[in-house]
Amino acid sequence: MMPTQVSRERPELGGLRATVGAICTCILCLTLLAGLWPFHAPKNDVRWLQGENGIRFGNRGIVVSAEALQTDAHQGPRTLEICLRPTRAIGSGTILALDDYPDPEYVFALRQFDAGIAVQWPALDRRGKLVRQWWKTNNVFEAGKSVVLTITAGQGKPVLYVNGTAASASSESNLSAADLKGELILGNSAIQDSWHGDLKGLAIYESALPPPRIEKHARRWLGGQTPVLNDDEVPAVLYRFDEAGGSVVHDRGSGGNPLLIRSRYFILDPAFLEPVWKPFRSRWDGWMTLSYWSDVAINIGGFMPFGFFFALRLSFSPTVRRPRMTALLFGAAISLAIETLQYFLPTRDSSMTDLLNNTIGTAIGVGFCRPRWIHARMWQKIS
């Protein structure tokens, strides 16, 4: 009789079979815990500043407008002013986004990259393919220090002003007023990219402010005051963040579009089983980032014990004819269930990449498991 068949039927191995079964149960519970924690939407980490105007975004926070921002028919120039104070100068996150495109990755956004600021907007390349246009300016932020960023668009090449002084101009001239519309998102993006810091003022004007006015506005924002506006400078939106409490930030501009602070954290456009090729479409936040490859290593390494011990446990059962293949399929099924449920959890990402890596990890673990050899060694020790 073959060693595997003997070991499956020998009562002397009952204790060993139970031990391996207990290990499998622990691995399954830890896998589900790691994949689905915290099992619910956590509290929206947005709170009002004490003693000054503004709101603070913590670990996971998001604020959205009640309605989408619209642009007028003539599509004239625009000016965006924002006063903020980053918590740290190391890390990244989306400070502001305007969600107005079927693919939430191709939207206008301001993103912090360590001490630099990146402006992102959708554009068409020479072949007519939609791409994300990037314009990055380094050495803008210092942790805990307020800064006023002003961007003019729709009148030649866009210009970035830092504290009222022109800091850089984009090499592209296709940032237009049409890009500054959509549902306004603060402290995050439509697909989860939390930013840490304080937001103290925001205004969007339906005109290109001249440099002297930009400088004057910046001084007042930095002094904790709202800019004094002329009749021709009525902003489309103006948020002073001076409510000091509550769940609504009132719009003092002409649009009357309030911001809403919900009690629970959420994502506007969560991905469902995001395709494997999606991370390879951008080097800024895709396959060239450390977080991408660390996730790959964690997902593969985390499922290797799953494949090994489940293949071993199933090899003890005389009713399972192909224990290694069964363990591989079970690992893939558990991974698919986790990735499907993650769609309903705002702190997790539902991804085909994770499903693939988890299955690879299971296959590696199954490959290391040699039931016949293991059973033979166990039987020798017992005998």
Side-chain angles (χ1 to χ4, degrees):
M1 186 175 292
M2 297 296 294
T4 300
Q5 187 66 27
V6 171
S7 61
R8 287 187 183 188
E9 297 177 351
R10 287 283 183 175
E12 294 88 341
L13 293 179
L16 180 61
R17 183 165 55 246
T19 300
V20 176
I23 293 174
C24 288
T25 301
C26 291
I27 290 176
L28 179 60
C29 292
L30 290 174
T31 300
L32 294 174
L33 181 66
L36 300 176
W37 181 262
F39 304 109
H40 62 85
K43 182 179 178 181
N44 192 13
D45 195 358
V46 178
R47 58 187 182 274
W48 293 93
L49 298 180
Q50 300 297 317
E52 59 180 323
N53 296 341
I55 55 176
R56 174 163 296 173
F57 293 91
N59 187 36
R60 290 188 179 93
I62 185 171
V63 174
V64 299
S65 60
E67 299 177 357
L69 303 184
Q70 302 295 333
T71 57
D72 55 18
H74 69 272
Q75 299 292 314
R78 295 289 185 275
T79 301
L80 185 150
E81 287 180 341
I82 184 169
C83 181
L84 56 96
R85 181 170 56 205
T87 302
R88 54 197 182 191
I90 299 177
S92 64
T94 298
I95 302 167
L96 176 151
L98 287 165
D99 186 18
D100 186 50
Y101 197 79
D103 190 335
E105 292 188 0
Y106 293 86
V107 298
F108 177 87
L110 301 181
R111 302 185 65 191
Q112 178 182 353
F113 283 95
D114 294 333
I117 182 72
V119 184
Q120 165 197 315
W121 68 95
L124 297 177
D125 61 13
R126 296 178 180 178
R127 297 174 295 178
K129 180 181 178 181
L130 184 67
V131 296
R132 282 191 295 179
Q133 198 71 56
W134 287 90
W135 162 31
K136 189 171 184 290
T137 305
N138 297 318
N139 303 319
V140 172
F141 299 120
E142 293 183 31
K145 186 174 181 179
S146 297
V147 60
V148 176
L149 304 177
T150 307
I151 299 172
T152 58
Q155 198 175 53
K157 293 183 178 180
V159 179
L160 171 69
Y161 295 81
V162 178
N163 293 334
T165 302
S168 67
S170 172
S171 60
E172 305 291 337
S173 58
N174 54 0
L175 175 59
S176 68
D179 297 312
L180 298 179
K181 64 178 182 178
E183 190 165 11
L184 178 61
I185 307 167
L186 300 179
N188 219 309
S189 71
I191 54 175
Q192 186 172 207
D193 186 29
S194 297
W195 176 72
H196 298 74
D198 303 336
L199 192 54
K200 306 174 71 176
L202 172 64
I204 299 178
Y205 303 86
E206 294 183 337
S207 62
L209 298 182
R213 298 298 298 179
I214 291 175
E215 182 181 1
K216 185 176 294 185
H217 285 193
R219 288 200 304 266
R220 291 189 64 85
W221 279 120
L222 291 173
Q225 300 172 304
T226 302
V228 176
L229 305 175
N230 296 331
D231 292 339
D232 59 345
E233 293 178 353
V234 178
V237 296
L238 174 60
Y239 302 109
R240 300 172 180 171
F241 300 100
D242 56 358
E243 289 80 1
S247 59
V248 177
V249 182
H250 297 94
D251 181 7
R252 315 294 184 179
S254 61
N257 189 2
L259 300 175
L260 306 178
I261 306 175
R262 299 185 186 178
S263 60
R264 291 290 175 179
Y265 182 64
F266 66 98
I267 294 298
L268 280 178
D269 296 299
F272 178 70
L273 295 179
E274 181 183 73
V276 175
W277 60 83
K278 264 293 189 66
F280 292 88
R281 294 167 60 178
S282 172
R283 65 188 181 92
W284 290 99
D285 53 1
W287 67 278
M288 289 190 67
T289 61
L290 178 62
S291 61
Y292 174 83
W293 292 108
S294 64
D295 286 344
V296 170
I298 291 173
N299 287 321
I300 292 177
F303 267 75
M304 287 173 59
F306 187 102
F308 180 89
F309 283 101
F310 271 90
L312 180 59
R313 175 61 186 87
L314 291 171
S315 69
F316 285 107
S317 175
T319 60
V320 180
R321 302 184 62 181
R322 303 183 67 180
R324 299 172 70 194
M325 178 58 69
T326 303
L328 176 59
L329 294 177
F330 184 56
I334 290 295
S335 178
L336 178 60
I338 290 175
E339 297 302 318
T340 300
L341 293 173
Q342 283 181 347
Y343 173 76
F344 303 97
L345 300 174
T347 59
R348 310 309 298 261
D349 297 315
S350 176
S351 169
M352 286 292 294
T353 301
D354 292 346
L355 174 59
L356 176 62
N357 291 330
N358 293 341
T359 305
I360 291 174
T362 304
I364 294 175
V366 169
F368 278 113
C369 183
R370 293 290 185 268
R372 290 179 178 272
W373 182 84
I374 294 175
H375 289 185
R377 298 282 295 179
M378 291 177 178
W379 178 246
Q380 289 176 3
K381 290 183 179 181
I382 293 176
S383 302

